[in-house]
Amino acid sequence: METKTIQISAGKGPAECEYVVAKVLRIFLLELINNKIDYTILNRETGIENGTIQSVSIQLNGNQLAEFLQHWFGTIQWIGTSTFRKFHKRKNWFIGCFEVDISSAISIKENEIQFQAIRSSGAGGQHVNKVNSAIRAKHIQTGLQVLVMDSRSQHQNKKIAIKRLHEKVASFNLDQANEQLKNQWENHQELERGNPIRVFTGIDFKQIKKSKSFKTKRNQLKNDLRKQLE
């Protein structure tokens, strides 16, 4: 099972590019579902117009992610009329899809947890404050901690504390990932407009299949050679 984090971004593009991000995101998520790839949306930056997205970051979990993503990474082009500026002459709009480098998430090992038994507190009763059944658990690396007094059993409270601490660290990892994604936003401000990996057209975002034309390539090589000989 592989894990990757990707970002679909309008870069410095106008509202039309943010519109394209929102439309492409739907197509991308549908392909993830069809390929049985799990995903979590980590961060979504809304655009300046309703229904638009400036940037979205997604964590993917599945098999053969590299093979799937090779058909997405790069510049994505939409050929269409602006939905916000009716008489705008521009017809080609570009966004980008990138892999984001996020540092390894923090994992919990039991020997990295400090446990402290403390007296339970609460309403009166013969069993309250008689034994140190409550457990405080602290993850040394992050300083995150939980206090559990759900059970009269110290052993049971310890198990619950470990589970809740795992949940807290998972939430901490997610927050850290979101922060790094915001910091890396500047790395994706410029988009390469040449040789898009995918091309969509029209309001229904129909994909244009890129066909390999060896004839076109040969003609280009001939032209280049002719220019060198002139």
Side-chain angles (χ1 to χ4, degrees):
M1 185 76 69
E2 299 175 79
T3 299
K4 290 182 179 292
T5 301
I6 68 103
Q7 186 179 71
I8 303 174
S9 163
K12 291 183 177 179
E16 288 82 1
C17 294
E18 297 172 346
Y19 166 79
V20 177
V21 171
K23 291 291 186 178
V24 168
L25 175 61
R26 295 180 184 179
I27 298 170
F28 182 76
L29 295 182
L30 182 60
E31 288 199 11
L32 290 178
I33 294 170
N34 291 338
N35 285 273
K36 295 180 172 56
I37 297 174
D38 295 328
Y39 68 89
T40 301
I41 294 180
L42 300 177
N43 189 55
R44 188 197 310 249
E45 298 287 341
T46 56
I48 58 178
E49 298 286 349
N50 290 335
T52 65
I53 299 174
Q54 184 184 59
S55 172
V56 59
S57 55
I58 313 168
Q59 185 178 77
L60 310 180
N61 293 283
N63 297 316
Q64 299 179 320
L65 288 184
E67 181 179 348
F68 171 81
L69 290 171
Q70 71 177 350
H71 303 293
W72 279 99
F73 282 161
T75 301
I76 298 171
Q77 179 183 6
W78 177 57
I79 303 172
T81 303
S82 171
T83 57
F84 309 109
R85 294 176 286 179
K86 185 176 180 180
F87 299 105
H88 199 284
K89 294 182 179 180
R90 180 174 167 185
K91 302 295 183 183
N92 295 291
W93 312 93
F94 299 89
I95 65 170
C97 183
F98 313 90
E99 181 173 5
V100 180
D101 181 21
I102 293 182
S103 59
S104 299
I106 297 171
S107 59
I108 293 184
K109 297 178 181 178
E110 194 163 332
N111 61 3
E112 298 173 341
I113 302 176
Q114 289 180 340
F115 296 100
Q116 179 185 4
I118 61 176
R119 291 186 181 275
S120 299
S121 61
Q126 62 177 347
H127 295 290
V128 176
N129 294 331
K130 295 295 182 73
V131 292
N132 296 340
S133 60
I135 290 292
R136 187 189 304 278
K138 178 180 179 180
H139 184 236
I140 299 171
Q141 182 178 354
T142 61
L144 297 171
Q145 56 184 329
V146 295
L147 174 63
V148 179
M149 53 182 72
D150 297 39
S151 172
R152 293 176 181 173
S153 165
Q154 186 180 107
H155 176 71
Q156 185 64 26
N157 282 336
K158 183 176 180 180
K159 289 176 62 177
I160 296 171
I162 293 173
K163 180 182 177 183
R164 290 181 182 170
L165 205 52
H166 272 281
E167 293 171 351
K168 264 202 167 185
V169 171
S171 178
F172 174 83
N173 282 331
L174 189 58
D175 290 342
Q176 291 293 101
N178 283 333
E179 190 61 32
Q180 289 189 48
L181 286 168
K182 290 178 182 178
N183 293 337
Q184 291 177 28
W185 165 250
E186 295 180 358
N187 296 333
H188 307 310
Q189 292 296 297
E190 300 296 337
L191 297 175
E192 180 187 357
R193 295 189 176 186
N195 192 29
I197 190 69
R198 286 200 175 193
V199 180
F200 298 93
T201 184
I203 58 174
D204 57 350
F205 272 71
K206 183 178 180 181
Q207 183 174 345
I208 298 177
K209 298 294 183 181
K210 294 180 66 178
S211 58
K212 295 182 179 179
S213 175
F214 296 103
K215 181 179 179 181
T216 301
K217 190 173 182 180
R218 282 200 307 271
N219 289 338
Q220 182 63 48
L221 290 173
K222 287 180 181 178
N223 290 335
D224 292 343
L225 180 60
R226 188 179 301 113
K227 290 178 181 179
Q228 292 177 16
L229 295 175
E230 289 176 351

